[in-house]
Each structure stands twice: as C-alpha cells, then as structure tokens.
Amino acid sequence: MPNRTIGLAGNPNCGKTTLFNRLTGARQVTGNWPGVTVERKEGQVKGKPWILVDLPGTYSLASYSPEERVARDFLQDTQPDLVLNVVDATALERNLYLTLQLLEQHLPVVVALNLCDQLHKKGGQVDCKALSSRLGVPVIPISARSGENIGGLINALEQAEKGKGIATSFFAYQGKPQTEQARYAAVRDLLDGIYDSGNVLSSGITEKLDDILTDRYLAIPIFLFIMLLMFTVIFGPPGMYAKGLAEQGVQAVSRWLGTALEWIGASWWAKEMALEGIWAGVGGMLTFLPQMALLFLFLSLLEDSGYMARGAFVMDRLLRKAGLSGKAFIPLLMGFGCTTPAAMATRTLERERERKLTVLMLPFFSCGAKLPVYVLFSAAFFPKSQGLLIFGLYLFGVLLGIFWVRLASGAAHRGEEAPFVMELPPYRLPTLSGILRHLWDKCKGFVVKAGTVIVSLSALMWLMQHVTFSLDWTEQAGESMFGAIGRCLAPLFRPLGFGSWQAAVSLLAGIVAKEAVVSSMASLYACGNAAGLTGALQGAFTPASALSFLVFVLLYMPCVAAFATIRRELGGWRAGILAMAEQTAAAYAVGFAVYRLALLFFPA
Amino acid sequence: MEQSLDRLPLGEWAVVVQIEQSSLLGRRLREMGITEGAQICRLRQAPMGDPSAYAVRGSILAIRARDAAHILVRPAHILSGGGISIPPR
C-alpha cells in the first residue's frame, strides 16, 4: 500500500510540534514561540504507512506571512489524504477559526483537541462528542505532552483513512462564512452551550508570573539578569570548567590515537596528518562543545517556557528604535548562537522589510563559533579583564548593528513601520524530553559540521601547509602554499596591526567556518595544546593588534553557511554579496580605528 | 461612549465596536479574534509604556498603542449600565 500523506495543521503554541514528535519519534525542535516551526518537516508515524507533514503554525490560511503561504500552498497543491488539525482547548474560539478555514477547503479533517487538562485546570470544559457532531468531523481529546489518548487518535485516523466518520457537513446548514467576523460568529454558534472557557485570563499561574515578569519596574532588570546569568554560566566558571574537562578528553584521545597509529605501523606522514592536522582541528573545536551546549540549553529553556514572547513584549519599544519589532528579538538572540538558524527564524516576521533589516543586523550579533577566538585572545593578552572584554565585544557588535540597520533603513529600506500583533502564550514548564531533544539536535548539528567541514579542511590545510606550489614537500610553513597565499593577503592587514600570513590565512579559514579560525591558528603556529598556542600568539600579536583582530573577527563576513541563508532571505546573490562586502569593509574600517586608538593605550 | 482601545483603563473589559484598519494589520487583528462584538480586556502595559497586552477569545495578544488606536470599543460598564466590569463569559 502506498504511503498516505497527513498534513499537521494548527495555531502556533497549540502543541503541534509536541504531537509531531510523539507520533513520529522524529527529532525536531519544539518551542513555545509563535511560529518556531518555519520549515516544512515530515516523518513517518510509528508503525503506520503514514507520512506526517508538520505545517508551520498559523492562525489563518490567508497568505500574509511565508508560514501561511507554506501551509496554504501545501493544502491546496499537495492535496493531503488527511489533515490532522491540532487545537488548543484553552483558546478554542481562536483555534477553531483555522479549523473552519480547513473545512471550507473541503479537506478531510480530524481534530485533535489538545490541552484539555489545562482547560479543566482553569475551570472550563468542552463536550467533545457534541463538538464532533456539530463540526461533522472526528474530535479526539488528547494530551500531546503526557501522551494521553494518542492510541485513540491513531484509531480515529485509521477510521478516517478508510473514509469513515468524515463529512464536511458543517457548512450544509451554515453556509460558508465570507468575512473574519462571520467566521467567528459561526464559531460562537458552534460552541454555544457546549464550551465553557473557564477563567478567561488563562491559568492563574500565567497571570501571576506576568505580574512579576512584565512588571513596570521589575521587567527590565529581570530581563537583563537573565541575559547576564546566561553569559556568566556560559563564559564564566561553569562553562570554563566544562571546557577544561573537554580539553582533557581531547588530549587523552590524542595520546590514544598516537599509540594506536604507532601500533598499526602507520607511516610518519599519516600519523602527523592525523594528529597535527585533523585531530588538532577537530579536537580544538570539540573543546568548545560544552559551552555551545549550555548556550543552546538556555535558548531552548527560554523558548519552551514562553519567556521569549515576554522578552519580545518588554523589548519592543527599544527594538522599534532600530526600525524593528519585539518579535525580532528572538532571531537576534538566536544570532548569539548561530547566524544560520537565526536567519531562518526571521521568517516569523511578517513584513519583508523587517525581515531584511533583521537579517542585515544578525551578523553583528556575535555567533557562538566566534567565542573561541575571543576566549583565546583575551586569555593571552588581557587575562585580568577577560569577561569584561568579551562582554564588551558582544555589546559593541549589537550597538554597531543597530547603527548599521538605522543607516540601512534610512537609505535603501524606506517603508512603513512593521506591525506588531503577537500572542503571549501561557507559561509552560519545559519538558525534559523536549529540552534534551532540542539540545541533541543542536549539538549534533555542531558536531556534524566538525565531522565534515573541519575534517576535510584540517586535512587540506595541513597539506597546503606542508606542500609548496611546485608540489614539493616542505617543513617550513612559510614556504608552503598557505604561506604564499597568506603573504599576498598579509599586507592588506598591516594597517590593522596584524600583517602576518598566519593571521591572514586563519581569517580566510574563518569564512569556511568560524570554528576554523582557532583550529587553523593552532596548526599554523604548530602547537598541539592551548598553552603553546597562547605563547605563540603572544609573540605574534601585540595587545593593540590583538584588539583590532578581535574586532575584525567580530565584524567581518559570516561563514559560508550563514552567507547562503542570508543570501536567500535577502532575495538574491547581488543583495547577499553586497551585504557581505559592506560588512567586511565596515570590519576593516572599524578594525583600523580600533588599532589606532588602542596604540594610544598599548604602545607597540 | 466609545473610545479607542489604547485608552481603555487597565483591567477593564470592553466590546469591540469598530476596526478602522482595512489594511493587512486590520485583517490580522480580525483573524486573531478582534472582530466587532468581541469582548476584550486591557490586561497590562509593557514597562516602557508600549505595547499593551489584551485578553481576547481566550488568548493574550500584545498590540502597540498606535495600532490599538484604530480599534473602537465600548467599555462594558457602560453596556451594563454602570458599576464595575461585567464578568467574562
């Protein structure tokens, strides 16, 4: 029997992604932020020949935002065999609006009534059987979170697949509503006498938390405290301790690898390439995995708990000054993790103008992969004020980004202010499985990048470092291919204070992946461990040139993966390349200014 | 006694009378449940004064003052002939 296609539709925050994970077991990011599911995802329902397609969370099938267009196009063009519509029982009126639109399209619908337990908690109730007979489609109460009655839902889907229990009879006596108001009136009729929403102001916990978290005086200190806590845990003692453990692990593997290669009798060059080329690169980057994991842990906690939307609510006024809305807060915050998913998250923004401005601003929010460079250089040159310097770099990037976007919005992106209608979802306790799934996804992505890009790059760089352009072997890195390329580029960076070919080459490598800046430096200065590299850098850089190098790394063009996404979101090669060129030019100018200024404080 | 939504006192319930936004935003507001006749409550204000959070049809929406200014409402205590806010449905 051929596979059946089931479209999974529903409002943002209705538990759609949780249900998707439960039905398919597929690994996917769950969040409590409206519209976190931007891309189409699919997975096979466990033990069934059904392909479940997770549609973006939308409030309607109109086509204002890319999410709505994706959902609408899929339903109209692909004609799924079934549509599984997840509705949030606590906001049933609003959720059934989409259900009516689905029925208007004559789609075979099964309704999964989620969060009934939450409805009961706030004193409400709903008559599922009556709702089902009035709608003319099966309505199955479930709890996606606890897995309650998922079996019942599967049964209903099986029945529906056989064509039983499906009729789009609702409009037989209602007539198709034409306007939003008529549709909401129809929902009212539908729910008349069978639905009690309980306390309208959602669950009492959300009210009480909002009293504190969006309080006039407390909200901003709390927001800043959470941000500061994130920074302290990730970059402070806890993160550093975890990093130390990872370093020990990497060294242990290095020793073990050396012995193993010795034992199998590998040739000297294979041994050297494996240890000093590949493992030096991969291992150097793996030591930053604990800090990356902590960062992703915080981001998913904020998302899943519902605080992200409050952050947007609190910060809207401020972001508006940059021509953005509070919603842009989420992609921008994600930009501290990785620019690539952050650029994709801008699709939750409704207006193209705001999307583009946010994408332009993103690279100024220093991504996680640049952190190793900051840590390395600040430890080598400014060990006493390490935390302050790193925080300063992040802040400097943000401020420059705001200035940059104001420039852009004044010039090329003139237009009206973006509208701002955002749902503040109820607070929910993040589930351990949801957080772990999120964390696993992100860390896997990070390691896979290490496995592919970094392995091949490290091997290639090791070769280019030992082979000349006439393909002769050399032990002198300066004579190698890399030395030659680096020497061509190095004079360009002399005004910024770091005219060495090693610096130029590592910046080039950083375009492939920012993780590669440190790993390529480790192999170019031929030092296996962190202490050796620190010593080599102290010889090659001055405090002033270290500062300008840091600022250049902070600001110059992002890695190829981020560039590819940015290019897509900006709508073409031309706009993408222009943005990269402008950004690198800005990095050069600011780096130069910082170097000259720093020379006043740290004379060479 | 109609007034714009952004001027509704905090904690007060009202009924939506008219939405003057015919543009994208107006449609978006209607889709999210702010239609003529809907009951709405201004719950709270962001610390910097704007936007505000409103309860409507079982969910909480954040709307900016300049957008809420286009929504005309009739405070519920006037509907019920004085006194305090009507209890929500």
Side-chain angles (χ1 to χ4, degrees):
Chain A
M1 193 167 69
N3 280 339
R4 297 296 188 102
T5 308
I6 302 178
L8 188 63
N11 283 190
N13 299 308
C14 66
K16 200 165 57 66
T17 306
T18 314
L19 181 62
F20 180 83
N21 288 335
R22 198 165 274 288
L23 285 176
T24 61
R27 300 206 164 79
Q28 199 210 14
V29 181
T30 67
N32 208 355
W33 169 256
V36 85
T37 321
V38 173
E39 298 291 51
R40 171 179 155 172
K41 285 180 180 150
E42 54 179 68
Q44 187 171 359
V45 178
K46 281 182 238 165
K48 300 282 172 200
W50 301 335
I51 301 296
L52 196 60
V53 179
D54 189 18
L55 299 173
T58 62
Y59 297 106
S60 125
L61 289 182
S63 49
Y64 304 133
S65 66
E67 287 78 27
E68 288 170 355
R69 247 167 275 151
V70 166
R72 188 193 173 103
D73 291 351
F74 174 80
L75 292 171
Q76 278 178 355
D77 304 341
T78 318
Q79 290 284 332
D81 297 293
L82 266 179
V83 177
L84 178 54
N85 178 206
V86 188
V87 299
D88 173 356
T90 63
L92 198 52
E93 262 187 88
R94 222 257 330 279
N95 276 258
L96 283 178
Y97 183 90
L98 180 69
T99 311
L100 288 202
Q101 284 192 321
L102 292 171
L103 293 178
E104 282 165 40
Q105 308 265 337
H106 298 291
L107 291 161
V109 176
V110 171
V111 172
L113 191 64
N114 195 21
L115 296 164
C116 284
D117 44 347
Q118 296 290 320
L119 178 69
H120 295 151
K121 232 181 235 171
K122 61 177 203 163
Q125 52 187 333
V126 57
D127 184 344
C128 270
K129 287 205 175 87
L131 181 61
S132 172
S133 69
R134 285 190 194 182
L135 270 173
V137 302
V139 176
I140 316 296
I142 61 156
S143 171
R145 198 186 160 104
S146 70
E148 205 179 308
N149 202 24
I150 295 297
L153 181 65
I154 298 270
N155 280 343
L157 287 171
E158 262 170 355
Q159 294 295 315
E161 197 198 2
K162 291 174 198 147
K164 284 180 200 157
I166 285 189
T168 47
S169 66
F170 176 60
F171 297 107
Y173 63 90
Q174 260 287 339
K176 269 194 194 180
Q178 296 300 320
T179 64
E180 295 90 10
Q181 203 184 343
R183 217 170 272 132
Y184 270 110
V187 171
R188 277 266 159 157
D189 290 347
L190 197 62
L191 292 177
D192 189 39
I194 61 168
Y195 176 61
D196 176 5
S197 63
N199 175 12
V200 176
L201 301 183
S202 72
S203 66
I205 292 165
T206 292
E207 268 296 281
K208 284 189 194 106
L209 278 174
D210 269 344
D211 277 344
I212 299 165
L213 296 178
T214 67
D215 179 79
R216 189 161 174 193
Y217 301 105
L218 292 177
I220 294 172
I222 289 174
F223 177 80
L224 292 177
F225 174 76
I226 291 175
M227 296 298 118
L228 194 70
L229 185 75
M230 254 174 88
F231 267 82
T232 316
V233 171
I234 297 168
F235 311 139
M240 286 307 172
Y241 176 74
K243 184 167 175 281
L245 287 183
E247 267 166 4
Q248 287 172 16
V250 165
Q251 276 167 15
V253 172
S254 182
R255 277 193 301 271
W256 176 83
L257 203 64
T259 320
L261 287 170
E262 197 86 48
W263 187 73
I264 60 167
S267 61
W268 66 270
W269 65 265
K271 206 177 132 197
E272 197 158 311
M273 181 158 142
L275 285 178
E276 281 169 31
I278 298 171
W279 187 247
V282 172
M285 200 207 47
L286 281 180
T287 58
F288 293 100
L289 188 61
Q291 281 171 311
M292 296 290 275
L294 282 173
L295 178 77
F296 290 130
L297 175 71
F298 271 103
L299 285 179
S300 65
L301 274 175
L302 290 179
E303 257 180 48
D304 291 358
S305 65
Y307 184 76
M308 278 276 202
R310 270 67 186 188
F313 181 67
V314 170
M315 300 313 285
D316 180 60
R317 190 83 189 254
L318 199 68
L319 280 160
R320 216 185 307 172
K321 291 199 196 318
L324 303 171
S325 80
K327 273 189 183 178
F329 162 80
I330 307 304
L332 290 176
L333 189 63
M334 285 172 75
F336 286 131
C338 177
T339 311
T340 310
M344 276 145 90
T346 59
R347 291 199 177 179
T348 54
L349 304 170
E350 268 165 59
R351 297 247 168 140
E352 199 182 4
R353 180 185 117 91
E354 192 183 7
R355 236 170 11 241
K356 287 187 175 172
L357 286 178
T358 310
V359 165
L360 284 178
M361 198 170 181
L362 266 180
F364 289 92
F365 283 60
S366 182
C367 80
K370 289 177 187 169
L371 183 64
V373 187
Y374 307 157
V375 173
L376 182 67
F377 274 76
S378 59
F381 293 97
F382 309 96
K384 280 186 189 135
S385 43
Q386 206 178 357
L388 195 68
L389 176 65
I390 295 177
F391 186 74
L393 280 168
Y394 275 80
L395 191 69
F396 184 60
V398 171
L399 292 177
L400 212 69
I402 293 172
F403 172 73
W404 189 254
V405 160
R406 284 198 74 103
L407 265 185
S409 63
H413 301 267
R414 209 173 285 278
E416 55 185 306
E417 204 174 279
F420 181 70
V421 186
M422 183 188 66
E423 189 182 357
L424 300 178
Y427 289 100
R428 281 167 197 153
L429 205 62
T431 60
L432 189 64
S433 67
I435 296 285
L436 289 180
R437 179 167 273 156
H438 197 140
L439 215 56
W440 169 248
D441 274 350
K442 297 288 177 184
C443 291
K444 199 176 71 180
F446 184 75
V447 172
V448 166
K449 207 166 155 190
T452 53
V453 177
I454 304 283
V455 164
S456 45
L457 196 76
S458 301
L460 184 73
M461 296 231 317
W462 184 82
L463 265 180
M464 287 180 78
Q465 196 190 325
H466 287 281
V467 176
T468 66
F469 270 115
S470 46
L471 298 182
D472 289 325
W473 184 264
T474 175
E475 283 298 324
Q476 299 294 313
E479 294 166 6
S480 66
M481 287 188 192
F482 250 26
I485 298 170
R487 256 190 293 278
C488 284
L489 288 173
L492 279 175
F493 292 110
R494 210 154 283 152
L496 276 67
F498 48 91
S500 73
W501 62 271
Q502 291 98 332
V505 169
S506 64
L507 286 174
L508 268 184
I511 294 177
V512 179
K514 290 286 180 276
E515 291 90 343
V517 175
V518 167
S519 62
S520 68
M521 277 189 158
S523 54
L524 288 175
Y525 288 110
C527 2
N529 56 42
L533 185 53
T534 304
L537 288 178
Q538 278 162 343
F541 286 79
T542 65
S545 70
L547 271 183
S548 74
F549 185 79
L550 284 177
V551 168
F552 190 83
V553 168
L554 167 70
L555 299 176
Y556 86 123
M557 72 167 284
C559 69
V560 278
F563 166 70
T565 332
I566 288 172
R567 180 200 68 83
R568 201 174 67 204
E569 299 304 325
L570 286 180
W573 284 103
R574 225 192 83 141
I577 290 172
L578 192 68
M580 297 303 107
E582 282 172 358
Q583 178 142 13
T584 307
Y588 191 86
V590 176
F592 178 74
V594 163
Y595 180 57
R596 290 292 138 187
L597 212 63
L599 276 183
L600 299 178
F601 297 95
F602 310 102
Chain B
M1 281 299 285
E2 283 148 17
Q3 61 180 124
S4 62
L5 183 60
D6 61 313
R7 302 235 174 129
L8 190 69
L10 288 176
E12 192 116 346
W13 281 90
V15 173
V16 177
V17 176
Q18 197 193 341
I19 301 167
E20 291 167 4
Q21 279 276 2
S22 56
S23 62
L24 187 152
L25 179 66
R27 285 198 64 179
R28 169 57 89 222
L29 290 171
R30 288 195 181 89
E31 282 177 350
M32 305 275 285
I34 304 179
T35 57
E36 283 82 352
Q39 296 179 354
I40 192 163
C41 175
R42 180 150 176 244
L43 285 182
R44 57 183 81 248
Q45 217 173 5
M48 287 183 258
D50 198 30
S52 290
Y54 298 90
V56 65
R57 295 191 200 270
S59 57
I60 303 174
L61 304 179
I63 305 171
R64 285 176 178 167
R66 40 161 276 159
D67 298 328
H70 294 281
I71 301 167
L72 217 57
V73 298
R74 184 179 299 129
H77 66 267
I78 292 169
L79 268 186
S80 55
I84 42 164
S85 302
I86 55 159
R89 194 177 76 98

